[in-house]
Amino acid sequence: MDRIWALLPLAIAFVLGGFLFWGLSSDRDPNEIPSALIGQGVPDMTLDPIPQMGGLGFDPDVIEQEELALVNVFASWCVPCRAEHAPLTRMSEDENLPIYGINYRDQADDAAEWLNELGNPYKGIGHDIAGRAGIEWGISGVPETFIVKNGVVVHRHVGPIVGDVVTREFRAALDAARAE
């Protein structure tokens, strides 16, 4: 029995070493956050528009009718959201790509002011002050952007779409969705 207890620290060290080896593996991307939505339909959650902005809110039935669309989760208090706003606006305008927004846990007045200042690339924006859409979409924070093809989520991007590498990777995912 004493031998078993003597081997216990060695066994613990072996298990911890295995986790360390797995964590440092070059095949594993620690920034990759899996999404249960990939291959699934758009979550069935309708959101009212930002009152000061009017227009369309967030309606999954409308998004499902689009051949290809983006769903962008953003907030006026989010600095990376501000950084990615210009690239999203260019995608919307230059490629005629419909973008639907979810204004996440943000005050309506702040969101309206932010959009009036930076411009509104969104075809429809849902106001989600309670954060319920974040649960339905499984977001880990803002910004996050989803590529939706024919009502099915095909890609999830966590973080802002800025910088050459990120933009190239997102564009590759967008091109792959178009080619399917």
Side-chain angles (χ1 to χ4, degrees):
M1 185 68 157
D2 289 336
R3 283 188 131 151
I4 292 174
W5 287 111
L7 293 176
L8 185 60
L10 183 61
I12 291 171
F14 183 73
V15 169
L16 290 176
F19 279 117
L20 179 64
F21 180 74
W22 171 77
L24 295 175
S25 170
S26 62
D27 295 336
R28 186 178 144 316
D29 180 3
N31 294 321
E32 184 178 316
I33 301 172
S35 175
L37 283 181
I38 303 299
Q40 303 295 317
V42 172
D44 188 21
M45 170 170 256
T46 303
L47 296 168
D48 292 331
I50 297 170
Q52 297 84 335
M53 298 300 294
L56 278 176
F58 188 86
D59 186 347
D61 293 336
V62 171
I63 297 168
E64 288 172 354
Q65 294 173 14
E66 300 281 4
E67 182 180 340
L68 188 66
L70 300 183
V71 173
N72 177 249
V73 184
F74 73 98
S76 66
W77 46 261
C78 165
V79 174
C81 295
R82 181 177 282 271
E84 80 169 359
H85 195 78
L88 286 175
T89 300
R90 279 193 300 277
M91 277 187 233
S92 173
E93 293 172 355
D94 297 349
E95 300 177 34
N96 198 26
L97 182 63
I99 303 175
Y100 295 88
I102 297 175
N103 180 238
Y104 182 70
R105 300 184 66 94
D106 200 2
Q107 296 299 317
D109 290 340
D110 295 340
E113 183 180 321
W114 191 77
L115 289 165
N116 286 329
E117 176 190 340
L118 298 177
N120 184 356
Y122 302 103
K123 199 168 178 181
I125 306 170
H127 183 59
D128 182 29
I129 188 71
R132 179 79 181 133
I135 294 168
E136 295 293 324
W137 282 83
I139 70 162
S140 59
V142 289
E144 287 195 21
T145 305
F146 297 84
I147 300 173
V148 178
K149 181 165 180 146
N150 298 318
V152 175
V153 177
V154 295
H155 181 77
R156 173 188 184 196
H157 178 80
V158 177
I161 302 171
V162 294
D164 292 340
V165 172
V166 171
T167 304
R168 261 194 317 273
E169 289 172 0
F170 188 79
R171 175 120 353 250
L174 196 54
D175 291 343
R178 282 188 174 119
E180 288 179 1

